[in-house]
Amino acid sequence: MSFFFGFKGQIGRAKYWFLLLFWAVAIVSTGPYLIKLVDQESTTLQSVFLFALFALVSISIMSMVVRRLHDLGKSGWWYVLYILVPKTGIAFSSADPGTDTQTAVLAVCGIIALWAFLDLGFVRGKIGDNKYAFASDVIPVHP
């Protein structure tokens, strides 16, 4: 379970890409069924199920990014810049479509998202212990 939900330790690029691919396949393969549930009149139980599923996936992805940041020698708070700022900026820029402000916000969000993609996916992690994780904290692929 710590492989999917733990925030301590670090994961390298290969494990990061494995988890990213795992969640991408899981979301794409179950997406049509979940959309069908949402399109129908949802019962309270279905709504609770979908919320719980969304929360579990979000926490797992947050855990993955934080541990990858630890591998890079960065605090987990970089998650806010890498993930939350672009998502929030895109959400708020849609309120003012077609303006220079929207264009500027989307450009900044795109640059931050590209920076995060390159940093998390391709930059080699710090070798040995660092401020946020010990080299012995590396979580094995097979829990």
Side-chain angles (χ1 to χ4, degrees), residues 55-137:
L56 286 173
V57 170
S58 296
I59 291 169
S60 180
I61 291 172
M62 185 186 307
S63 160
M64 170 185 72
V65 171
V66 167
R67 287 181 289 141
R68 179 68 183 122
L69 287 166
H70 289 171
D71 187 49
L72 294 169
K74 295 180 179 182
S75 166
W77 284 103
W78 278 80
Y79 179 86
V80 173
L81 175 66
Y82 278 0
I83 308 298
L84 295 182
V85 168
K87 283 184 178 182
T88 306
I90 290 169
F92 283 117
S93 70
S94 64
D96 197 15
T99 64
D100 291 339
T101 304
Q102 180 193 30
T103 304
V105 168
L106 290 176
V108 169
C109 290
I111 291 168
I112 292 172
L114 178 63
W115 174 27
F117 174 74
L118 294 174
D119 202 18
L120 294 170
F122 298 101
V123 174
R124 183 179 183 158
K126 306 293 183 212
I127 296 181
D129 298 345
N130 65 43
K131 185 176 177 182
Y132 302 101
F134 297 110
S136 60
D137 288 341

Side-chain angles (χ1 to χ4, degrees), residues 13-96:
R13 290 174 291 185
K15 291 176 189 166
Y16 173 78
W17 282 108
F18 170 79
L19 282 169
L20 201 61
L21 182 63
F22 171 83
W23 282 120
V25 168
I27 290 168
V28 167
S29 64
T30 60
Y33 302 108
L34 297 176
I35 290 171
K36 193 174 184 180
L37 275 176
V38 171
D39 283 346
Q40 298 172 354
E41 294 221 5
S42 297
T43 64
T44 303
L45 183 61
Q46 288 173 328
S47 298
V48 168
F49 170 76
L50 289 174
F51 177 78
L53 186 63
F54 176 77
L56 286 173
V57 170
S58 296
I59 291 169
S60 180
I61 291 172
M62 185 186 307
S63 160
M64 170 185 72
V65 171
V66 167
R67 287 181 289 141
R68 179 68 183 122
L69 287 166
H70 289 171
D71 187 49
L72 294 169
K74 295 180 179 182
S75 166
W77 284 103
W78 278 80
Y79 179 86
V80 173
L81 175 66
Y82 278 0
I83 308 298
L84 295 182
V85 168
K87 283 184 178 182
T88 306
I90 290 169
F92 283 117
S93 70
S94 64
D96 197 15

